[in-house]
Amino acid sequence: MDFQKLLLHVGKALSRDEVKALVFLCTDLLSRSSTSVELASDLFSRLVNQDCLSPEQPQLLTELLQTIQRTRLLRDLRINNQTSNLISPYRKLLYNLSEDITDDDLKQVKFLLNKELPRRKLDENVTTLEVFLEMEHLDLISSTDLSLMESILDSVCPVLKEKISRFKATQALQPSSEFSMNMASTSAAYPNTLLGGDEHEGLSQGMRQLSTRTSNYDSSEERTDAVEMSLPQEDKTSTKPKTFRPLLAENTDEEGLGMYPMTSAKRGFCLIVNNENFKGGLKKREGTMVDEKNLHIVFTWLGFDIIIRRECTSGQMQSIMKDLARQNHSQNDCLVCFILSHGQEQSVYGVDGHTVEVQHLMDPFNGSLCSSLANKPKMFFIQACQGNREQQPVYIETDSRTESYVSRDSKVFTPSFHGSNQQPTTKSSIPSNADFLMGMATVPSFVSFRERSNGTWFIQSLCQNLVQMVPRGADIVSILTKVNADVSKKTDHTGQRKQMPQPTFTLRHKVVFPIPIDPRPIL
């Protein structure tokens, strides 16, 4: 294929966000300010004119597409997979950090930079990479001085600080003389390229970020597919055909671990059991409808058929699970179930005030009882307390029946049940059969938190990280690890209450959802 046509095909295949990401990665290579670059063709023309890209030297294109994880495009267009080292490790570091910083993280970063950056760079629509570019422009960070960045990330997201530490360790292994030689040879090969240029101005809005457009959630939408279940009437699903980018096994298969197949006609069912109003002294779970809405948006985007059940008793929850297990899942890849309710250790409450053990809700789906889901991942997410706590502040509430308080080291002191004869039954939190995953909002004996306007900390983070990490090919266990990191940093206004989620699983392969073609949704 003619090289110009090849570049045209690549440009057409890239989204606006991806183009902006490439522009950022090429900041050090462009001899003029990159702020005017809007189209992929503009970027490629400038790189060709500066002898950074040519039919004889396409390595930069390969490196760029690999960095933003568009390796499928490389294969489809049969682009040479030989890469270069034209993009500096420092530039890649900043890009990778931006990919892992959530919207909430970015707000905290801007808050900490309030006195350092101009007010226009602290607006809500300014992206992470724009903030980084402004920090470079003001000489607050550089490839040799990341101290301010480390300090900020230590407060906002400590797990990301490790990436900087690894970068610094790698750079320390390279002698300065070798670095100078590499710079000189690069300049000789590309005489028109300015390396380490400092004309860094903010990129236009639209850089790769967590929130992009999707279809609106309609709370009145009724389920229209042919799933027959004798359950309450709050069924909802999306029947819009979904298109997905094929998965590349070589990008995620490590040491023969492999991935569960995601090639069936349907991704599967996503059941959401949402209990808000209770009997028996249990408080209303204000904010749970926010969780339901976000889960509906995200899992519709991922290609699931959504089933919603509201205000279920303990008996109804068990019946719902048994009825769903009787369905034919042979054309589905997997199963996802969410339980949003009050809870005690290893059990959740129905709206009638009675509990049912989580394990009993999962049992109908084991291989012997639900053969059409055998060898397929079955993922259960439980948003409920596993312990007790006392009265909550007005804006932070607990998903538990009785109250205790959380001390500064997050230990929970559990009071008596005040006359209740019902004691929680403790069982192993890891399912006994293969191919199960259970994501608990909190560890045993502890509470989980819910905000009236934003929903629960656990579901908030899960939805945000699915939207952010699925397009990068991350598997579900890695996503839940990031959820652990994010939720563990959260606290209420007193700074005393903390939460630690707990995923457990008997998965035998990686669960990697296919990347939707549709834009990432706004939450």
Side-chain angles (χ1 to χ4, degrees):
M1 182 185 299
D2 177 79
F3 190 63
Q4 290 298 115
K5 290 183 178 180
L6 175 65
L7 294 179
L8 180 63
H9 282 297
V10 172
K12 289 182 177 180
L14 296 176
S15 68
R16 179 182 176 87
D17 290 345
E18 289 172 328
V19 172
K20 292 300 181 182
L22 297 189
V23 172
F24 175 83
L25 291 169
C26 291
T27 299
D28 301 325
L29 302 177
L30 299 175
S31 58
R32 292 178 286 117
S33 173
S34 59
T35 55
S36 60
V37 179
E38 295 288 339
L39 303 175
S41 57
D42 296 335
L43 173 64
F44 294 151
S45 294
R46 290 177 62 168
L47 293 174
V48 169
N49 292 337
Q50 294 179 195
D51 295 329
C52 294
L53 197 59
S54 67
E56 295 76 26
Q57 294 177 320
Q59 292 89 348
L60 176 60
L61 179 62
T62 302
E63 185 178 8
L64 288 169
L65 295 179
Q66 287 180 348
T67 301
I68 65 170
Q69 300 192 13
R70 288 301 306 271
T71 49
R72 176 73 180 185
L73 185 58
L74 289 171
R75 293 181 59 188
D76 289 346
L77 297 178
R78 299 181 181 180
I79 300 174
N80 191 320
N81 61 5
Q82 291 184 347
T83 187
S84 63
N85 291 311
L86 287 176
I87 305 173
S88 71
Y90 165 70
R91 191 63 48 191
K92 290 181 179 178
L93 169 68
L94 294 184
Y95 170 74
N96 289 329
L97 288 174
S98 75
E99 287 289 278
D100 287 329
I101 290 177
T102 66
D103 287 348
D104 286 343
D105 292 336
L106 180 56
K107 290 178 182 178
Q108 296 179 53
V109 170
K110 291 177 180 177
F111 176 78
L112 294 174
L113 290 170
N114 185 55
K115 296 183 178 180
E116 304 290 345
L117 300 186
R119 291 183 62 183
R120 61 186 176 83
K121 293 299 181 181
L122 300 174
D123 289 344
E124 185 176 352
N125 63 348
V126 175
T127 66
T128 304
L129 288 178
E130 289 178 308
V131 170
F132 288 171
L133 284 170
E134 186 66 18
M135 292 175 71
E136 289 184 290
H137 182 67
L138 297 175
D139 202 25
L140 298 176
I141 59 172
S142 68
S143 60
T144 58
D145 184 7
L146 290 165
S147 55
L148 179 58
M149 182 76 78
E150 287 181 288
S151 176
I152 290 172
L153 293 181
D154 191 43
S155 300
V156 173
C157 187
V159 69
L160 295 184
K161 186 180 175 182
E162 297 177 5
K163 290 192 174 185
I164 298 180
S165 298
R166 290 195 295 269
F167 166 78
K168 293 169 69 174
T170 301
Q171 295 301 103
L173 295 176
Q174 297 183 358
S176 58
S177 59
E178 179 183 346
F179 178 76
S180 299
M181 291 175 63
N182 289 338
M183 294 284 283
S185 61
T186 303
S187 298
Y190 306 99
N192 296 327
T193 300
L194 286 182
L195 297 172
D198 59 1
E199 283 192 19
H200 306 310
E201 297 180 8
L203 296 177
S204 62
Q205 182 179 1
M207 183 60 69
R208 177 186 298 272
Q209 52 187 327
L210 174 63
S211 301
T212 50
R213 299 184 182 276
T214 189
S215 58
N216 292 330
Y217 170 87
D218 184 355
S219 60
S220 63
E221 181 183 357
E222 295 296 328
R223 180 173 173 79
T224 57
D225 61 19
V227 178
E228 296 182 3
M229 301 173 68
S230 55
L231 303 172
Q233 298 299 314
E234 296 88 353
D235 285 48
K236 287 185 281 186
T237 188
S238 172
T239 57
K240 177 184 175 181
K242 308 296 289 186
T243 306
F244 299 88
R245 297 174 184 147
L247 293 172
L248 297 181
E250 61 268 28
N251 290 339
T252 53
D253 186 1
E254 298 177 1
E255 300 181 357
L257 183 60
M259 298 185 299
Y260 287 101
M262 291 285 172
T263 56
S264 297
K266 295 183 178 181
R267 192 70 54 240
F269 294 113
C270 174
L271 171 66
I272 304 171
V273 176
N274 184 11
N275 291 339
E276 183 177 19
N277 300 287
F278 297 80
K279 297 179 181 178
L282 291 165
K283 293 183 177 181
K284 181 179 180 179
R285 297 184 62 254
E286 295 184 54
T288 189
M289 296 306 297
V290 178
D291 285 345
E292 178 189 303
K293 175 182 177 181
N294 287 337
L295 290 172
H296 186 284
I297 290 173
V298 171
F299 280 87
T300 298
W301 174 67
L302 291 174
F304 285 83
D305 292 326
I306 311 298
I307 305 171
I308 295 178
R309 298 289 184 268
R310 299 197 189 111
E311 313 295 32
C312 299
T313 65
S314 57
Q316 286 174 332
M317 285 194 286
Q318 295 182 76
S319 297
I320 288 169
M321 293 301 179
K322 291 177 182 178
D323 288 345
L324 183 57
R326 294 190 190 104
Q327 300 297 315
N328 183 1
H329 301 268
S330 59
Q331 298 300 310
N332 299 343
D333 289 320
C334 59
L335 173 74
V336 173
C337 294
F338 285 89
I339 308 294
L340 314 177
S341 190
H342 286 300
Q344 288 292 344
E345 190 162 340
Q346 294 300 319
S347 63
V348 291
Y349 279 96
V351 295
D352 55 355
H354 298 294
T355 60
V356 57
E357 293 181 13
V358 173
Q359 188 63 52
H360 290 171
L361 298 177
M362 300 170 63
D363 283 343
F365 300 95
N366 66 39
S368 60
L369 296 178
C370 185
S371 59
S372 61
L373 279 175
N375 299 316
K376 297 179 181 181
K378 298 161 278 284
M379 293 161 279
F380 291 76
F381 299 90
I382 312 299
Q383 172 49 56
C385 284
Q386 293 201 67
N388 305 282
R389 60 185 304 276
E390 291 185 347
Q391 185 65 44
Q392 300 299 297
V394 65
Y395 296 112
I396 299 289
E397 298 180 354
T398 175
D399 282 352
S400 64
R401 172 169 183 158
T402 57
E403 289 87 24
S404 69
Y405 66 93
V406 182
S407 64
R408 293 188 179 185
D409 58 3
S410 299
K411 291 183 180 178
V412 175
F413 297 86
T414 307
S416 67
F417 282 81
H418 302 292
S420 172
N421 293 322
Q422 189 172 20
Q423 298 288 342
T425 302
T426 302
K427 288 189 175 182
S428 172
S429 61
I430 299 179
S432 58
N433 293 336
D435 309 309
F436 278 87
L437 178 143
M438 181 166 63
M440 302 294 293
T442 184
V443 295
S445 300
F446 285 75
V447 298
S448 61
F449 294 102
R450 172 172 31 84
E451 298 172 357
R452 293 181 179 180
S453 59
N454 298 319
T456 57
W457 292 358
F458 177 62
I459 299 298
Q460 282 179 50
S461 180
L462 177 61
C463 290
Q464 290 170 354
N465 281 293
L466 283 168
V467 169
Q468 184 181 24
M469 298 179 70
V470 165
R472 302 208 304 270
D475 68 284
I476 191 65
V477 174
S478 297
I479 292 172
L480 289 175
T481 303
K482 183 61 164 58
V483 170
N484 279 5
D486 289 349
V487 174
S488 68
K489 296 180 301 173
K490 287 182 174 289
T491 187
D492 71 328
H493 70 281
T494 68
Q496 304 300 307
R497 297 183 173 92
K498 304 292 289 185
Q499 181 178 331
M500 188 69 244
Q502 182 186 49
T504 55
F505 58 90
T506 57
L507 299 174
R508 295 172 296 119
H509 309 292
K510 289 185 175 184
V511 178
V512 182
F513 295 125
I515 302 172
I517 296 297
D518 290 346
R520 289 184 284 187
I522 296 174
L523 300 179

